[in-house]
Short mmCIF file of all heavy atoms in Angstrom, two decimals:
data_model
loop_
_atom_site.label_atom_id
_atom_site.label_comp_id
_atom_site.label_asym_id
_atom_site.label_seq_id
_atom_site.Cartn_x
_atom_site.Cartn_y
_atom_site.Cartn_z
N LEU A 149 28.72 -7.70 -26.19
CA LEU A 149 27.70 -7.60 -25.14
C LEU A 149 27.24 -8.95 -24.69
O LEU A 149 27.16 -9.95 -25.47
CB LEU A 149 26.47 -6.77 -25.64
CG LEU A 149 26.79 -5.27 -26.03
CD1 LEU A 149 25.59 -4.68 -26.59
CD2 LEU A 149 27.22 -4.55 -24.79
N VAL A 150 26.89 -9.08 -23.45
CA VAL A 150 26.43 -10.37 -22.82
C VAL A 150 24.93 -10.22 -22.47
O VAL A 150 24.63 -9.60 -21.52
CB VAL A 150 27.25 -10.73 -21.58
CG1 VAL A 150 26.86 -12.07 -20.99
CG2 VAL A 150 28.73 -10.71 -21.86
N PRO A 151 24.07 -10.98 -23.25
CA PRO A 151 22.62 -10.86 -22.89
C PRO A 151 22.30 -11.72 -21.72
O PRO A 151 22.97 -12.68 -21.43
CB PRO A 151 21.94 -11.41 -24.19
CG PRO A 151 23.06 -11.53 -25.23
CD PRO A 151 24.33 -11.67 -24.51
N MET A 152 21.22 -11.33 -21.07
CA MET A 152 20.72 -12.06 -19.93
C MET A 152 19.80 -13.22 -20.44
O MET A 152 19.17 -13.12 -21.56
CB MET A 152 19.96 -11.23 -19.03
CG MET A 152 20.78 -10.51 -17.97
SD MET A 152 19.75 -9.79 -16.69
CE MET A 152 21.05 -9.57 -15.43
N THR A 153 19.64 -14.21 -19.68
CA THR A 153 18.67 -15.34 -19.98
C THR A 153 17.34 -14.97 -19.34
O THR A 153 17.19 -14.80 -18.15
CB THR A 153 19.16 -16.67 -19.39
OG1 THR A 153 20.45 -16.92 -19.92
CG2 THR A 153 18.22 -17.77 -19.73
N LEU A 154 16.35 -14.92 -20.18
CA LEU A 154 14.99 -14.61 -19.74
C LEU A 154 14.30 -15.86 -19.33
O LEU A 154 14.13 -16.82 -20.14
CB LEU A 154 14.15 -13.91 -20.89
CG LEU A 154 14.75 -12.64 -21.42
CD1 LEU A 154 13.86 -11.98 -22.37
CD2 LEU A 154 15.24 -11.69 -20.38
N GLY A 155 13.81 -15.92 -18.10
CA GLY A 155 13.15 -17.12 -17.57
C GLY A 155 11.66 -17.13 -17.81
O GLY A 155 11.16 -16.54 -18.76
N ASP A 156 10.95 -17.80 -16.94
CA ASP A 156 9.48 -17.98 -17.04
C ASP A 156 8.81 -17.63 -15.73
O ASP A 156 9.20 -18.12 -14.67
CB ASP A 156 9.16 -19.46 -17.41
CG ASP A 156 7.70 -19.73 -17.67
OD1 ASP A 156 6.93 -18.78 -17.51
OD2 ASP A 156 7.31 -20.94 -17.96
N SER A 157 7.87 -16.64 -15.82
CA SER A 157 7.24 -16.25 -14.61
C SER A 157 5.87 -16.86 -14.37
O SER A 157 5.12 -16.39 -13.51
CB SER A 157 7.11 -14.68 -14.57
OG SER A 157 6.38 -14.25 -15.77
N THR A 158 5.57 -17.92 -15.08
CA THR A 158 4.21 -18.58 -15.02
C THR A 158 3.99 -19.21 -13.65
O THR A 158 2.91 -18.95 -13.09
CB THR A 158 4.09 -19.66 -16.12
OG1 THR A 158 4.31 -19.02 -17.36
CG2 THR A 158 2.71 -20.16 -16.09
N ASN A 159 4.87 -19.98 -13.18
CA ASN A 159 4.69 -20.74 -11.96
C ASN A 159 5.42 -20.30 -10.75
O ASN A 159 5.95 -21.12 -9.99
CB ASN A 159 4.81 -22.24 -12.28
CG ASN A 159 3.89 -22.80 -13.34
OD1 ASN A 159 2.65 -22.55 -13.21
ND2 ASN A 159 4.43 -23.43 -14.28
N LEU A 160 5.57 -19.01 -10.59
CA LEU A 160 6.23 -18.56 -9.38
C LEU A 160 5.53 -18.91 -8.12
O LEU A 160 4.34 -18.87 -8.14
CB LEU A 160 6.41 -16.98 -9.45
CG LEU A 160 7.21 -16.48 -10.72
CD1 LEU A 160 7.36 -14.96 -10.59
CD2 LEU A 160 8.64 -17.13 -10.71
N GLN A 161 6.33 -19.22 -7.09
CA GLN A 161 5.70 -19.55 -5.81
C GLN A 161 6.15 -18.66 -4.64
O GLN A 161 7.28 -18.27 -4.66
CB GLN A 161 6.12 -21.02 -5.43
CG GLN A 161 5.78 -22.08 -6.47
CD GLN A 161 4.18 -22.22 -6.60
OE1 GLN A 161 3.42 -22.25 -5.63
NE2 GLN A 161 3.71 -22.27 -7.85
N VAL A 162 5.18 -18.32 -3.83
CA VAL A 162 5.50 -17.53 -2.69
C VAL A 162 6.48 -18.25 -1.80
O VAL A 162 6.28 -19.39 -1.47
CB VAL A 162 4.20 -17.19 -1.86
CG1 VAL A 162 4.62 -16.51 -0.54
CG2 VAL A 162 3.33 -16.31 -2.68
N GLY A 163 7.58 -17.68 -1.42
CA GLY A 163 8.65 -18.27 -0.65
C GLY A 163 9.89 -18.61 -1.41
O GLY A 163 10.95 -18.80 -0.84
N GLN A 164 9.85 -18.57 -2.79
CA GLN A 164 11.05 -18.92 -3.52
C GLN A 164 12.08 -17.77 -3.52
O GLN A 164 11.65 -16.58 -3.41
CB GLN A 164 10.78 -19.38 -4.93
CG GLN A 164 10.39 -18.23 -5.89
CD GLN A 164 10.11 -18.75 -7.31
OE1 GLN A 164 9.08 -19.34 -7.61
NE2 GLN A 164 11.13 -18.51 -8.17
N LYS A 165 13.33 -18.08 -3.60
CA LYS A 165 14.39 -17.07 -3.53
C LYS A 165 14.39 -16.27 -4.76
O LYS A 165 14.27 -16.76 -5.91
CB LYS A 165 15.72 -17.75 -3.22
CG LYS A 165 15.93 -18.32 -1.85
CD LYS A 165 17.35 -18.70 -1.62
CE LYS A 165 17.78 -19.81 -2.55
NZ LYS A 165 19.17 -20.30 -2.22
N VAL A 166 14.68 -14.99 -4.61
CA VAL A 166 14.91 -14.08 -5.75
C VAL A 166 16.07 -13.11 -5.45
O VAL A 166 16.40 -12.90 -4.29
CB VAL A 166 13.61 -13.27 -6.06
CG1 VAL A 166 12.58 -14.11 -6.68
CG2 VAL A 166 13.08 -12.52 -4.84
N TYR A 167 16.69 -12.59 -6.53
CA TYR A 167 17.73 -11.64 -6.41
C TYR A 167 17.47 -10.43 -7.25
O TYR A 167 16.92 -10.54 -8.41
CB TYR A 167 19.08 -12.35 -6.91
CG TYR A 167 19.46 -13.55 -6.22
CD1 TYR A 167 18.96 -14.81 -6.56
CD2 TYR A 167 20.35 -13.56 -5.08
CE1 TYR A 167 19.33 -16.02 -5.97
CE2 TYR A 167 20.72 -14.74 -4.46
CZ TYR A 167 20.18 -15.93 -4.86
OH TYR A 167 20.54 -17.08 -4.26
N ALA A 168 17.87 -9.29 -6.77
CA ALA A 168 17.72 -8.03 -7.53
C ALA A 168 19.08 -7.45 -7.70
O ALA A 168 19.82 -7.29 -6.77
CB ALA A 168 16.82 -7.01 -6.79
N ILE A 169 19.39 -7.10 -8.95
CA ILE A 169 20.64 -6.38 -9.26
C ILE A 169 20.29 -5.06 -9.91
O ILE A 169 19.48 -4.99 -10.81
CB ILE A 169 21.57 -7.22 -10.18
CG1 ILE A 169 21.84 -8.60 -9.64
CG2 ILE A 169 22.88 -6.46 -10.49
CD1 ILE A 169 22.73 -9.38 -10.60
N GLY A 170 20.89 -4.03 -9.42
CA GLY A 170 20.61 -2.64 -9.92
C GLY A 170 21.57 -1.57 -9.37
O GLY A 170 22.62 -1.89 -8.89
N ASN A 171 21.14 -0.38 -9.50
CA ASN A 171 22.01 0.75 -9.12
C ASN A 171 21.17 1.73 -8.13
O ASN A 171 20.93 2.85 -8.38
CB ASN A 171 22.30 1.55 -10.39
CG ASN A 171 22.91 0.67 -11.44
OD1 ASN A 171 24.00 0.13 -11.27
ND2 ASN A 171 22.25 0.58 -12.62
N PRO A 172 20.85 1.11 -6.96
CA PRO A 172 20.13 1.97 -5.97
C PRO A 172 20.93 3.17 -5.56
O PRO A 172 22.10 3.10 -5.18
CB PRO A 172 19.90 1.01 -4.83
CG PRO A 172 21.01 0.03 -4.92
CD PRO A 172 21.21 -0.07 -6.44
N PHE A 173 20.29 4.37 -5.61
CA PHE A 173 20.95 5.64 -5.21
C PHE A 173 22.31 5.83 -6.00
O PHE A 173 23.21 6.49 -5.53
CB PHE A 173 21.24 5.72 -3.70
CG PHE A 173 19.99 5.44 -2.89
CD1 PHE A 173 19.81 4.33 -2.12
CD2 PHE A 173 19.05 6.46 -2.82
CE1 PHE A 173 18.69 4.17 -1.33
CE2 PHE A 173 17.87 6.31 -2.04
CZ PHE A 173 17.78 5.13 -1.24
N GLY A 174 22.34 5.31 -7.23
CA GLY A 174 23.53 5.38 -8.06
C GLY A 174 24.66 4.51 -7.72
O GLY A 174 25.74 4.56 -8.28
N LEU A 175 24.46 3.60 -6.72
CA LEU A 175 25.52 2.63 -6.34
C LEU A 175 25.52 1.42 -7.29
O LEU A 175 24.76 0.52 -7.09
CB LEU A 175 25.30 2.24 -4.85
CG LEU A 175 25.32 3.41 -3.81
CD1 LEU A 175 24.90 2.87 -2.46
CD2 LEU A 175 26.68 4.03 -3.80
N SER A 176 26.22 1.51 -8.33
CA SER A 176 26.15 0.53 -9.41
C SER A 176 26.57 -0.92 -8.99
O SER A 176 27.38 -1.09 -8.08
CB SER A 176 27.05 0.98 -10.55
OG SER A 176 28.40 1.01 -10.18
N GLY A 177 25.91 -1.79 -9.64
CA GLY A 177 26.24 -3.21 -9.45
C GLY A 177 25.98 -3.79 -8.12
O GLY A 177 26.66 -4.61 -7.55
N THR A 178 24.77 -3.36 -7.48
CA THR A 178 24.32 -3.73 -6.14
C THR A 178 23.47 -5.01 -6.23
O THR A 178 22.49 -5.01 -6.94
CB THR A 178 23.66 -2.61 -5.39
OG1 THR A 178 24.57 -1.61 -5.24
CG2 THR A 178 23.21 -3.11 -4.02
N LEU A 179 23.80 -6.04 -5.43
CA LEU A 179 22.89 -7.23 -5.36
C LEU A 179 22.24 -7.27 -3.99
O LEU A 179 22.84 -7.05 -2.96
CB LEU A 179 23.79 -8.44 -5.41
CG LEU A 179 23.15 -9.86 -5.21
CD1 LEU A 179 22.28 -10.20 -6.40
CD2 LEU A 179 24.16 -10.97 -4.94
N THR A 180 20.93 -7.55 -4.06
CA THR A 180 20.16 -7.73 -2.89
C THR A 180 19.37 -9.01 -3.03
O THR A 180 19.11 -9.58 -4.16
CB THR A 180 19.19 -6.67 -2.51
OG1 THR A 180 18.26 -6.41 -3.71
CG2 THR A 180 19.91 -5.38 -2.17
N ARG A 181 18.99 -9.72 -1.96
CA ARG A 181 18.31 -10.99 -1.98
C ARG A 181 17.11 -11.03 -1.12
O ARG A 181 17.04 -10.31 -0.09
CB ARG A 181 19.27 -12.09 -1.54
CG ARG A 181 18.82 -13.45 -1.78
CD ARG A 181 19.70 -14.44 -1.17
NE ARG A 181 19.57 -14.49 0.36
CZ ARG A 181 19.99 -15.46 1.09
NH1 ARG A 181 20.65 -16.46 0.63
NH2 ARG A 181 19.77 -15.34 2.44
N GLY A 182 16.05 -11.85 -1.54
CA GLY A 182 14.91 -11.87 -0.76
C GLY A 182 14.13 -13.15 -1.28
O GLY A 182 14.64 -14.07 -1.76
N ILE A 183 12.80 -13.05 -1.05
CA ILE A 183 11.87 -14.11 -1.52
C ILE A 183 10.69 -13.42 -2.27
O ILE A 183 10.44 -12.28 -2.15
CB ILE A 183 11.33 -14.96 -0.33
CG1 ILE A 183 10.51 -14.05 0.64
CG2 ILE A 183 12.45 -15.67 0.34
CD1 ILE A 183 9.75 -14.84 1.67
N VAL A 184 9.96 -14.21 -2.99
CA VAL A 184 8.73 -13.86 -3.57
C VAL A 184 7.74 -13.81 -2.34
O VAL A 184 7.42 -14.86 -1.71
CB VAL A 184 8.17 -14.81 -4.60
CG1 VAL A 184 6.78 -14.39 -5.06
CG2 VAL A 184 9.09 -14.86 -5.80
N SER A 185 7.21 -12.61 -2.02
CA SER A 185 6.31 -12.40 -0.99
C SER A 185 4.80 -12.60 -1.36
O SER A 185 4.02 -13.05 -0.50
CB SER A 185 6.47 -10.98 -0.37
OG SER A 185 7.80 -10.71 -0.06
N SER A 186 4.50 -12.32 -2.55
CA SER A 186 3.09 -12.50 -2.99
C SER A 186 3.07 -12.24 -4.51
O SER A 186 3.98 -11.67 -5.11
CB SER A 186 2.14 -11.50 -2.30
OG SER A 186 0.84 -11.66 -2.69
N ILE A 187 2.01 -12.69 -5.13
CA ILE A 187 1.66 -12.39 -6.56
C ILE A 187 0.34 -11.67 -6.47
O ILE A 187 -0.70 -12.23 -6.07
CB ILE A 187 1.58 -13.67 -7.43
CG1 ILE A 187 2.87 -14.47 -7.29
CG2 ILE A 187 1.29 -13.27 -8.79
CD1 ILE A 187 4.08 -13.81 -7.84
N ARG A 188 0.32 -10.38 -6.90
CA ARG A 188 -0.92 -9.60 -6.74
C ARG A 188 -1.00 -8.56 -7.75
O ARG A 188 0.00 -8.18 -8.47
CB ARG A 188 -0.98 -9.02 -5.38
CG ARG A 188 0.09 -7.94 -5.12
CD ARG A 188 -0.09 -7.26 -3.76
NE ARG A 188 0.28 -8.12 -2.69
CZ ARG A 188 -0.60 -8.52 -1.79
NH1 ARG A 188 -1.86 -8.32 -1.93
NH2 ARG A 188 -0.10 -9.36 -0.87
N GLN A 189 -2.22 -7.97 -7.93
CA GLN A 189 -2.41 -6.86 -8.86
C GLN A 189 -2.02 -5.60 -8.02
O GLN A 189 -2.42 -5.41 -6.94
CB GLN A 189 -3.85 -6.81 -9.33
CG GLN A 189 -4.15 -5.66 -10.25
CD GLN A 189 -5.65 -5.43 -10.52
OE1 GLN A 189 -6.32 -4.89 -9.68
NE2 GLN A 189 -6.11 -5.81 -11.70
N VAL A 190 -1.25 -4.64 -8.68
CA VAL A 190 -0.95 -3.39 -8.02
C VAL A 190 -1.10 -2.25 -9.05
O VAL A 190 -1.01 -2.46 -10.25
CB VAL A 190 0.52 -3.40 -7.58
CG1 VAL A 190 0.79 -4.44 -6.45
CG2 VAL A 190 1.54 -3.57 -8.68
N GLU A 191 -1.32 -1.13 -8.51
CA GLU A 191 -1.51 0.13 -9.38
C GLU A 191 -0.28 1.05 -9.17
O GLU A 191 0.05 1.29 -8.02
CB GLU A 191 -2.81 0.88 -8.95
CG GLU A 191 -3.12 2.09 -9.78
CD GLU A 191 -4.43 2.72 -9.44
OE1 GLU A 191 -5.36 1.93 -9.05
OE2 GLU A 191 -4.62 3.94 -9.53
N GLU A 192 0.24 1.41 -10.22
CA GLU A 192 1.40 2.32 -10.13
C GLU A 192 0.96 3.73 -9.86
O GLU A 192 -0.23 4.07 -10.04
CB GLU A 192 2.17 2.25 -11.50
CG GLU A 192 2.82 0.87 -11.79
CD GLU A 192 3.90 0.93 -12.81
OE1 GLU A 192 5.05 1.23 -12.43
OE2 GLU A 192 3.60 0.69 -13.98
N PRO A 193 1.91 4.61 -9.55
CA PRO A 193 1.50 6.02 -9.21
C PRO A 193 0.76 6.75 -10.38
O PRO A 193 -0.03 7.64 -10.02
CB PRO A 193 2.87 6.64 -9.00
CG PRO A 193 3.74 5.53 -8.46
CD PRO A 193 3.31 4.37 -9.26
N ASP A 194 1.05 6.34 -11.57
CA ASP A 194 0.35 7.03 -12.73
C ASP A 194 -0.95 6.42 -13.03
O ASP A 194 -1.64 6.76 -14.06
CB ASP A 194 1.23 7.03 -14.00
CG ASP A 194 1.59 5.63 -14.46
OD1 ASP A 194 1.10 4.62 -13.88
OD2 ASP A 194 2.27 5.50 -15.43
N GLY A 195 -1.39 5.43 -12.23
CA GLY A 195 -2.71 4.86 -12.44
C GLY A 195 -2.70 3.58 -13.20
O GLY A 195 -3.76 2.89 -13.30
N MET A 196 -1.53 3.22 -13.86
CA MET A 196 -1.44 2.01 -14.66
C MET A 196 -1.52 0.82 -13.71
O MET A 196 -0.91 0.82 -12.63
CB MET A 196 -0.28 1.96 -15.52
CG MET A 196 -0.24 3.04 -16.62
SD MET A 196 -1.64 2.76 -17.72
CE MET A 196 -1.59 4.20 -18.79
N VAL A 197 -2.04 -0.32 -14.16
CA VAL A 197 -2.21 -1.49 -13.34
C VAL A 197 -1.29 -2.56 -13.83
O VAL A 197 -1.13 -2.83 -15.06
CB VAL A 197 -3.68 -2.01 -13.34
CG1 VAL A 197 -3.77 -3.34 -12.63
CG2 VAL A 197 -4.57 -0.93 -12.77
N ILE A 198 -0.53 -3.21 -12.94
CA ILE A 198 0.28 -4.30 -13.22
C ILE A 198 -0.40 -5.63 -12.69
O ILE A 198 -0.70 -5.80 -11.59
CB ILE A 198 1.71 -4.31 -12.50
CG1 ILE A 198 2.43 -2.99 -12.90
CG2 ILE A 198 2.60 -5.47 -12.88
CD1 ILE A 198 3.66 -2.82 -12.09
N GLU A 199 -0.80 -6.45 -13.74
CA GLU A 199 -1.44 -7.70 -13.44
C GLU A 199 -0.35 -8.70 -12.94
O GLU A 199 0.64 -8.87 -13.54
CB GLU A 199 -2.18 -8.32 -14.66
CG GLU A 199 -3.18 -7.33 -15.29
CD GLU A 199 -4.41 -7.13 -14.46
OE1 GLU A 199 -4.56 -7.91 -13.47
OE2 GLU A 199 -5.26 -6.29 -14.79
N GLU A 200 -0.66 -9.42 -11.90
CA GLU A 200 0.13 -10.50 -11.39
C GLU A 200 1.57 -9.98 -11.12
O GLU A 200 2.57 -10.64 -11.41
CB GLU A 200 0.14 -11.68 -12.34
CG GLU A 200 -1.18 -12.34 -12.49
CD GLU A 200 -1.11 -13.58 -13.41
OE1 GLU A 200 -0.57 -13.48 -14.48
OE2 GLU A 200 -1.62 -14.64 -12.99
N ALA A 201 1.62 -8.81 -10.50
CA ALA A 201 2.90 -8.29 -10.09
C ALA A 201 3.64 -9.15 -9.07
O ALA A 201 2.97 -9.77 -8.24
CB ALA A 201 2.83 -6.78 -9.57
N ILE A 202 4.94 -9.19 -9.16
CA ILE A 202 5.71 -10.04 -8.20
C ILE A 202 6.10 -9.19 -7.00
O ILE A 202 6.87 -8.17 -7.19
CB ILE A 202 7.05 -10.58 -8.89
CG1 ILE A 202 6.73 -11.37 -10.18
CG2 ILE A 202 7.79 -11.43 -7.86
CD1 ILE A 202 7.83 -11.67 -11.02
N GLN A 203 5.56 -9.47 -5.84
CA GLN A 203 5.94 -8.72 -4.64
C GLN A 203 7.14 -9.42 -4.03
O GLN A 203 7.14 -10.66 -3.90
CB GLN A 203 4.79 -8.63 -3.64
CG GLN A 203 5.13 -7.84 -2.39
CD GLN A 203 3.90 -7.94 -1.40
OE1 GLN A 203 2.80 -7.88 -1.74
NE2 GLN A 203 4.30 -7.96 -0.12
N THR A 204 8.15 -8.64 -3.57
CA THR A 204 9.38 -9.25 -2.95
C THR A 204 9.84 -8.37 -1.84
O THR A 204 9.58 -7.16 -1.81
CB THR A 204 10.46 -9.38 -3.99
OG1 THR A 204 11.63 -9.91 -3.36
CG2 THR A 204 10.79 -8.00 -4.63
#
Side-chain angles (χ1 to χ4, degrees):
L149 297 175
V150 182
M152 275 192 163
T153 301
L154 305 188
D156 185 358
S157 56
T158 302
N159 296 312
L160 299 180
Q161 299 296 317
V162 172
Q164 75 176 77
K165 288 190 297 187
V166 290
Y167 303 86
I169 303 180
N171 308 297
F173 303 111
L175 301 173
S176 62
T178 298
L179 172 74
T180 55
R181 191 188 72 166
I183 62 170
V184 173
S185 303
S186 180
I187 305 292
R188 66 174 74 250
Q189 182 191 74
V190 297
E191 183 175 326
E192 295 198 86
D194 61 1
M196 293 298 173
V197 173
I198 304 174
E199 303 289 351
E200 297 183 308
I202 306 167
Q203 181 183 327
T204 178

